[in-house]
Amino acid sequence: KYINSPQSLIYDKSKILFALDKAKTVIREKDEIILVEGQMDAISCHNAGFKNVVAVSGTALTTAQLALIKRYTKNIILAFDQDSAGVNATDRGINEALKSDFKLRVALFPIGKDPDEIIRNNPKIFEEAINNS
């Protein structure tokens, strides 16, 4: 659910946050960002009204991405997939974000494995997971 392109001088996933251009105003207004893994996760979130969402596009959260985030907020909610890769990415993201002095919350989903699937089935479940993170 993300562009699986090789690293190049033009496209470096470790330095990009998908949908940041759409989300940055709302991130500043809410003083909070929700990070998801895949681009379809971010698109579904935006379509459901969660406008402060960006995607890391299948990479682990990096220091370059955290530097971008710091321009807009110091408050992060990690809403990564609930599969083993997502859990590992969450653990790594927690460590990186805490090193950079972010305030961090983690959303846990009771059903489904990723935000896109959850939102397609019931957006209220995603909203509750974010609110209870």
Side-chain angles (χ1 to χ4, degrees):
K1 293 190 180 186
Y2 55 88
I3 296 172
N4 196 8
S5 301
Q7 291 287 99
S8 70
L9 292 174
I10 296 171
Y11 185 64
D12 184 348
K13 289 186 276 190
S14 69
K15 296 179 181 175
I16 294 172
L17 292 167
F18 178 80
L20 181 60
D21 61 318
K22 306 281 187 246
K24 62 186 175 184
T25 301
V26 179
I27 293 166
R28 280 190 177 125
E29 288 170 2
K30 290 189 170 204
D31 193 22
E32 181 175 81
I33 190 170
I34 301 170
L35 294 176
V36 296
E37 282 186 78
Q39 295 165 351
M40 288 305 300
D41 295 326
I43 291 167
S44 289
C45 287
H46 279 257
N47 286 339
F50 303 97
K51 304 292 187 182
N52 60 328
V53 175
V54 301
V56 296
S57 299
T59 66
L61 183 59
T62 67
T63 55
Q65 291 167 331
L66 288 166
L68 278 175
I69 293 167
K70 201 173 267 190
R71 295 179 186 175
Y72 305 100
T73 186
K74 298 249 328 178
N75 300 301
I76 296 174
I77 298 175
L78 293 178
F80 290 165
D81 298 1
Q82 300 295 290
D83 59 11
S84 62
V87 171
N88 289 335
T90 298
D91 288 342
R92 287 189 306 273
I94 289 169
N95 291 330
E96 289 302 316
L98 291 177
K99 284 182 202 173
S100 299
D101 296 323
F102 281 92
K103 292 181 183 173
L104 188 63
R105 295 169 32 209
V106 177
L108 301 174
F109 306 118
I111 63 165
K113 72 172 200 162
D114 66 24
D116 173 50
E117 181 180 344
I118 291 166
I119 287 171
R120 282 187 283 122
N121 289 318
N122 186 348
K124 285 284 186 200
I125 293 172
F126 183 80
E127 182 177 20
E128 289 172 10
I130 295 300
N131 291 339
N132 295 323
S133 62

PDB file of all heavy atoms in Angstrom, residues 78-103:
ATOM      1  N   LEU A  78       1.661   7.377  16.871  1.00  0.00           N
ATOM      2  CA  LEU A  78       2.033   6.315  15.940  1.00  0.00           C
ATOM      3  C   LEU A  78       0.817   5.414  15.755  1.00  0.00           C
ATOM      4  O   LEU A  78       0.265   4.896  16.727  1.00  0.00           O
ATOM      5  CB  LEU A  78       3.198   5.496  16.486  1.00  0.00           C
ATOM      6  CG  LEU A  78       4.541   6.205  16.600  1.00  0.00           C
ATOM      7  CD1 LEU A  78       5.575   5.263  17.213  1.00  0.00           C
ATOM      8  CD2 LEU A  78       5.018   6.679  15.246  1.00  0.00           C
ATOM      9  N   ALA A  79       0.398   5.247  14.516  1.00  0.00           N
ATOM     10  CA  ALA A  79      -0.758   4.408  14.188  1.00  0.00           C
ATOM     11  C   ALA A  79      -0.352   3.432  13.090  1.00  0.00           C
ATOM     12  O   ALA A  79      -0.958   3.371  12.030  1.00  0.00           O
ATOM     13  CB  ALA A  79      -1.940   5.273  13.767  1.00  0.00           C
ATOM     14  N   PHE A  80       0.700   2.683  13.366  1.00  0.00           N
ATOM     15  CA  PHE A  80       1.226   1.746  12.396  1.00  0.00           C
ATOM     16  C   PHE A  80       0.400   0.460  12.377  1.00  0.00           C
ATOM     17  O   PHE A  80      -0.376   0.191  13.287  1.00  0.00           O
ATOM     18  CB  PHE A  80       2.685   1.425  12.689  1.00  0.00           C
ATOM     19  CG  PHE A  80       3.644   2.563  12.434  1.00  0.00           C
ATOM     20  CD1 PHE A  80       4.931   2.519  12.932  1.00  0.00           C
ATOM     21  CD2 PHE A  80       3.278   3.679  11.702  1.00  0.00           C
ATOM     22  CE1 PHE A  80       5.837   3.550  12.701  1.00  0.00           C
ATOM     23  CE2 PHE A  80       4.169   4.722  11.454  1.00  0.00           C
ATOM     24  CZ  PHE A  80       5.446   4.648  11.961  1.00  0.00           C
ATOM     25  N   ASP A  81       0.614  -0.338  11.341  1.00  0.00           N
ATOM     26  CA  ASP A  81      -0.087  -1.603  11.185  1.00  0.00           C
ATOM     27  C   ASP A  81       0.118  -2.478  12.422  1.00  0.00           C
ATOM     28  O   ASP A  81       1.120  -2.352  13.121  1.00  0.00           O
ATOM     29  CB  ASP A  81       0.430  -2.347   9.957  1.00  0.00           C
ATOM     30  CG  ASP A  81       0.186  -1.591   8.653  1.00  0.00           C
ATOM     31  OD1 ASP A  81      -0.366  -0.477   8.697  1.00  0.00           O
ATOM     32  OD2 ASP A  81       0.550  -2.127   7.600  1.00  0.00           O
ATOM     33  N   GLN A  82      -0.823  -3.395  12.633  1.00  0.00           N
ATOM     34  CA  GLN A  82      -0.756  -4.271  13.794  1.00  0.00           C
ATOM     35  C   GLN A  82      -0.118  -5.627  13.483  1.00  0.00           C
ATOM     36  O   GLN A  82      -0.139  -6.524  14.313  1.00  0.00           O
ATOM     37  CB  GLN A  82      -2.165  -4.479  14.361  1.00  0.00           C
ATOM     38  CG  GLN A  82      -2.823  -3.184  14.810  1.00  0.00           C
ATOM     39  CD  GLN A  82      -2.127  -2.514  15.982  1.00  0.00           C
ATOM     40  OE1 GLN A  82      -2.176  -3.012  17.095  1.00  0.00           O
ATOM     41  NE2 GLN A  82      -1.487  -1.386  15.741  1.00  0.00           N
ATOM     42  N   ASP A  83       0.491  -5.752  12.291  1.00  0.00           N
ATOM     43  CA  ASP A  83       1.216  -6.981  11.978  1.00  0.00           C
ATOM     44  C   ASP A  83       2.611  -6.912  12.601  1.00  0.00           C
ATOM     45  O   ASP A  83       2.981  -5.919  13.222  1.00  0.00           O
ATOM     46  CB  ASP A  83       1.275  -7.221  10.468  1.00  0.00           C
ATOM     47  CG  ASP A  83       1.950  -6.086   9.696  1.00  0.00           C
ATOM     48  OD1 ASP A  83       2.563  -5.192  10.331  1.00  0.00           O
ATOM     49  OD2 ASP A  83       1.866  -6.089   8.464  1.00  0.00           O
ATOM     50  N   SER A  84       3.401  -7.985  12.464  1.00  0.00           N
ATOM     51  CA  SER A  84       4.712  -8.021  13.129  1.00  0.00           C
ATOM     52  C   SER A  84       5.644  -6.923  12.622  1.00  0.00           C
ATOM     53  O   SER A  84       6.382  -6.325  13.411  1.00  0.00           O
ATOM     54  CB  SER A  84       5.359  -9.393  12.979  1.00  0.00           C
ATOM     55  OG  SER A  84       5.591  -9.702  11.633  1.00  0.00           O
ATOM     56  N   ALA A  85       5.607  -6.636  11.323  1.00  0.00           N
ATOM     57  CA  ALA A  85       6.455  -5.560  10.793  1.00  0.00           C
ATOM     58  C   ALA A  85       6.033  -4.209  11.376  1.00  0.00           C
ATOM     59  O   ALA A  85       6.885  -3.377  11.713  1.00  0.00           O
ATOM     60  CB  ALA A  85       6.376  -5.532   9.270  1.00  0.00           C
ATOM     61  N   GLY A  86       4.731  -3.985  11.514  1.00  0.00           N
ATOM     62  CA  GLY A  86       4.238  -2.733  12.087  1.00  0.00           C
ATOM     63  C   GLY A  86       4.604  -2.581  13.547  1.00  0.00           C
ATOM     64  O   GLY A  86       4.951  -1.492  14.004  1.00  0.00           O
ATOM     65  N   VAL A  87       4.540  -3.682  14.285  1.00  0.00           N
ATOM     66  CA  VAL A  87       4.933  -3.648  15.702  1.00  0.00           C
ATOM     67  C   VAL A  87       6.421  -3.326  15.826  1.00  0.00           C
ATOM     68  O   VAL A  87       6.819  -2.506  16.661  1.00  0.00           O
ATOM     69  CB  VAL A  87       4.574  -4.977  16.405  1.00  0.00           C
ATOM     70  CG1 VAL A  87       5.171  -5.049  17.802  1.00  0.00           C
ATOM     71  CG2 VAL A  87       3.056  -5.146  16.462  1.00  0.00           C
ATOM     72  N   ASN A  88       7.243  -3.939  14.976  1.00  0.00           N
ATOM     73  CA  ASN A  88       8.677  -3.636  14.990  1.00  0.00           C
ATOM     74  C   ASN A  88       8.936  -2.185  14.609  1.00  0.00           C
ATOM     75  O   ASN A  88       9.784  -1.519  15.210  1.00  0.00           O
ATOM     76  CB  ASN A  88       9.434  -4.574  14.053  1.00  0.00           C
ATOM     77  CG  ASN A  88       9.495  -5.986  14.583  1.00  0.00           C
ATOM     78  OD1 ASN A  88       9.411  -6.217  15.787  1.00  0.00           O
ATOM     79  ND2 ASN A  88       9.620  -6.953  13.689  1.00  0.00           N
ATOM     80  N   ALA A  89       8.213  -1.684  13.600  1.00  0.00           N
ATOM     81  CA  ALA A  89       8.365  -0.288  13.188  1.00  0.00           C
ATOM     82  C   ALA A  89       7.919   0.651  14.306  1.00  0.00           C
ATOM     83  O   ALA A  89       8.517   1.710  14.512  1.00  0.00           O
ATOM     84  CB  ALA A  89       7.569  -0.023  11.916  1.00  0.00           C
ATOM     85  N   THR A  90       6.886   0.269  15.038  1.00  0.00           N
ATOM     86  CA  THR A  90       6.427   1.074  16.176  1.00  0.00           C
ATOM     87  C   THR A  90       7.511   1.138  17.236  1.00  0.00           C
ATOM     88  O   THR A  90       7.821   2.223  17.748  1.00  0.00           O
ATOM     89  CB  THR A  90       5.125   0.493  16.763  1.00  0.00           C
ATOM     90  OG1 THR A  90       4.103   0.542  15.767  1.00  0.00           O
ATOM     91  CG2 THR A  90       4.677   1.277  17.986  1.00  0.00           C
ATOM     92  N   ASP A  91       8.107   0.006  17.569  1.00  0.00           N
ATOM     93  CA  ASP A  91       9.186  -0.016  18.568  1.00  0.00           C
ATOM     94  C   ASP A  91      10.344   0.880  18.155  1.00  0.00           C
ATOM     95  O   ASP A  91      10.849   1.670  18.955  1.00  0.00           O
ATOM     96  CB  ASP A  91       9.693  -1.445  18.784  1.00  0.00           C
ATOM     97  CG  ASP A  91       8.700  -2.313  19.542  1.00  0.00           C
ATOM     98  OD1 ASP A  91       7.780  -1.770  20.190  1.00  0.00           O
ATOM     99  OD2 ASP A  91       8.859  -3.556  19.484  1.00  0.00           O
ATOM    100  N   ARG A  92      10.765   0.764  16.898  1.00  0.00           N
ATOM    101  CA  ARG A  92      11.867   1.607  16.412  1.00  0.00           C
ATOM    102  C   ARG A  92      11.460   3.078  16.416  1.00  0.00           C
ATOM    103  O   ARG A  92      12.253   3.952  16.770  1.00  0.00           O
ATOM    104  CB  ARG A  92      12.302   1.169  15.014  1.00  0.00           C
ATOM    105  CG  ARG A  92      13.072  -0.145  14.999  1.00  0.00           C
ATOM    106  CD  ARG A  92      13.690  -0.450  13.646  1.00  0.00           C
ATOM    107  NE  ARG A  92      12.750  -0.421  12.534  1.00  0.00           N
ATOM    108  CZ  ARG A  92      12.007  -1.438  12.135  1.00  0.00           C
ATOM    109  NH1 ARG A  92      12.081  -2.592  12.754  1.00  0.00           N
ATOM    110  NH2 ARG A  92      11.182  -1.313  11.112  1.00  0.00           N
ATOM    111  N   GLY A  93      10.217   3.356  15.992  1.00  0.00           N
ATOM    112  CA  GLY A  93       9.726   4.733  15.972  1.00  0.00           C
ATOM    113  C   GLY A  93       9.684   5.349  17.347  1.00  0.00           C
ATOM    114  O   GLY A  93      10.026   6.521  17.529  1.00  0.00           O
ATOM    115  N   ILE A  94       9.264   4.571  18.328  1.00  0.00           N
ATOM    116  CA  ILE A  94       9.233   5.058  19.715  1.00  0.00           C
ATOM    117  C   ILE A  94      10.634   5.481  20.138  1.00  0.00           C
ATOM    118  O   ILE A  94      10.841   6.572  20.668  1.00  0.00           O
ATOM    119  CB  ILE A  94       8.669   3.985  20.666  1.00  0.00           C
ATOM    120  CG1 ILE A  94       7.167   3.807  20.441  1.00  0.00           C
ATOM    121  CG2 ILE A  94       8.965   4.328  22.116  1.00  0.00           C
ATOM    122  CD1 ILE A  94       6.576   2.593  21.129  1.00  0.00           C
ATOM    123  N   ASN A  95      11.610   4.604  19.897  1.00  0.00           N
ATOM    124  CA  ASN A  95      12.992   4.901  20.298  1.00  0.00           C
ATOM    125  C   ASN A  95      13.515   6.163  19.624  1.00  0.00           C
ATOM    126  O   ASN A  95      14.116   7.027  20.277  1.00  0.00           O
ATOM    127  CB  ASN A  95      13.900   3.714  20.004  1.00  0.00           C
ATOM    128  CG  ASN A  95      13.612   2.537  20.905  1.00  0.00           C
ATOM    129  OD1 ASN A  95      13.184   2.708  22.042  1.00  0.00           O
ATOM    130  ND2 ASN A  95      13.834   1.335  20.409  1.00  0.00           N
ATOM    131  N   GLU A  96      13.302   6.281  18.319  1.00  0.00           N
ATOM    132  CA  GLU A  96      13.794   7.457  17.587  1.00  0.00           C
ATOM    133  C   GLU A  96      13.096   8.736  18.038  1.00  0.00           C
ATOM    134  O   GLU A  96      13.735   9.772  18.224  1.00  0.00           O
ATOM    135  CB  GLU A  96      13.620   7.268  16.078  1.00  0.00           C
ATOM    136  CG  GLU A  96      14.556   6.259  15.459  1.00  0.00           C
ATOM    137  CD  GLU A  96      16.027   6.599  15.669  1.00  0.00           C
ATOM    138  OE1 GLU A  96      16.417   7.783  15.506  1.00  0.00           O
ATOM    139  OE2 GLU A  96      16.796   5.681  16.002  1.00  0.00           O
ATOM    140  N   ALA A  97      11.780   8.685  18.220  1.00  0.00           N
ATOM    141  CA  ALA A  97      11.030   9.876  18.615  1.00  0.00           C
ATOM    142  C   ALA A  97      11.415  10.335  20.019  1.00  0.00           C
ATOM    143  O   ALA A  97      11.545  11.540  20.261  1.00  0.00           O
ATOM    144  CB  ALA A  97       9.530   9.604  18.525  1.00  0.00           C
ATOM    145  N   LEU A  98      11.595   9.402  20.926  1.00  0.00           N
ATOM    146  CA  LEU A  98      11.967   9.782  22.291  1.00  0.00           C
ATOM    147  C   LEU A  98      13.363  10.387  22.345  1.00  0.00           C
ATOM    148  O   LEU A  98      13.608  11.313  23.122  1.00  0.00           O
ATOM    149  CB  LEU A  98      11.850   8.579  23.230  1.00  0.00           C
ATOM    150  CG  LEU A  98      10.421   8.101  23.490  1.00  0.00           C
ATOM    151  CD1 LEU A  98      10.429   6.851  24.376  1.00  0.00           C
ATOM    152  CD2 LEU A  98       9.559   9.198  24.091  1.00  0.00           C
ATOM    153  N   LYS A  99      14.274   9.904  21.503  1.00  0.00           N
ATOM    154  CA  LYS A  99      15.628  10.490  21.435  1.00  0.00           C
ATOM    155  C   LYS A  99      15.566  11.955  20.998  1.00  0.00           C
ATOM    156  O   LYS A  99      16.436  12.741  21.346  1.00  0.00           O
ATOM    157  CB  LYS A  99      16.501   9.730  20.433  1.00  0.00           C
ATOM    158  CG  LYS A  99      17.003   8.405  20.897  1.00  0.00           C
ATOM    159  CD  LYS A  99      17.886   7.817  19.803  1.00  0.00           C
ATOM    160  CE  LYS A  99      18.009   6.333  19.907  1.00  0.00           C
ATOM    161  NZ  LYS A  99      18.714   5.750  18.758  1.00  0.00           N
ATOM    162  N   SER A 100      14.551  12.281  20.215  1.00  0.00           N
ATOM    163  CA  SER A 100      14.423  13.639  19.686  1.00  0.00           C
ATOM    164  C   SER A 100      13.447  14.489  20.497  1.00  0.00           C
ATOM    165  O   SER A 100      12.985  15.523  20.025  1.00  0.00           O
ATOM    166  CB  SER A 100      13.958  13.581  18.229  1.00  0.00           C
ATOM    167  OG  SER A 100      14.905  12.901  17.449  1.00  0.00           O
ATOM    168  N   ASP A 101      13.106  14.036  21.699  1.00  0.00           N
ATOM    169  CA  ASP A 101      12.271  14.794  22.641  1.00  0.00           C
ATOM    170  C   ASP A 101      10.849  15.065  22.156  1.00  0.00           C
ATOM    171  O   ASP A 101      10.295  16.129  22.426  1.00  0.00           O
ATOM    172  CB  ASP A 101      12.951  16.116  23.030  1.00  0.00           C
ATOM    173  CG  ASP A 101      14.250  15.888  23.781  1.00  0.00           C
ATOM    174  OD1 ASP A 101      14.305  14.938  24.579  1.00  0.00           O
ATOM    175  OD2 ASP A 101      15.199  16.653  23.551  1.00  0.00           O
ATOM    176  N   PHE A 102      10.256  14.118  21.461  1.00  0.00           N
ATOM    177  CA  PHE A 102       8.854  14.234  21.079  1.00  0.00           C
ATOM    178  C   PHE A 102       7.982  13.688  22.196  1.00  0.00           C
ATOM    179  O   PHE A 102       8.395  12.820  22.954  1.00  0.00           O
ATOM    180  CB  PHE A 102       8.569  13.433  19.797  1.00  0.00           C
ATOM    181  CG  PHE A 102       9.010  14.127  18.546  1.00  0.00           C
ATOM    182  CD1 PHE A 102      10.267  13.914  18.024  1.00  0.00           C
ATOM    183  CD2 PHE A 102       8.150  14.991  17.885  1.00  0.00           C
ATOM    184  CE1 PHE A 102      10.673  14.558  16.862  1.00  0.00           C
ATOM    185  CE2 PHE A 102       8.552  15.640  16.729  1.00  0.00           C
ATOM    186  CZ  PHE A 102       9.814  15.420  16.220  1.00  0.00           C
ATOM    187  N   LYS A 103       6.768  14.211  22.281  1.00  0.00           N
ATOM    188  CA  LYS A 103       5.739  13.605  23.127  1.00  0.00           C
ATOM    189  C   LYS A 103       5.042  12.582  22.250  1.00  0.00           C
ATOM    190  O   LYS A 103       4.612  12.895  21.146  1.00  0.00           O
ATOM    191  CB  LYS A 103       4.754  14.669  23.621  1.00  0.00           C
ATOM    192  CG  LYS A 103       5.386  15.641  24.576  1.00  0.00           C
ATOM    193  CD  LYS A 103       4.387  16.661  25.058  1.00  0.00           C
ATOM    194  CE  LYS A 103       5.081  17.659  25.951  1.00  0.00           C
ATOM    195  NZ  LYS A 103       4.182  18.761  26.313  1.00  0.00           N
TER     196      LYS A 103
END
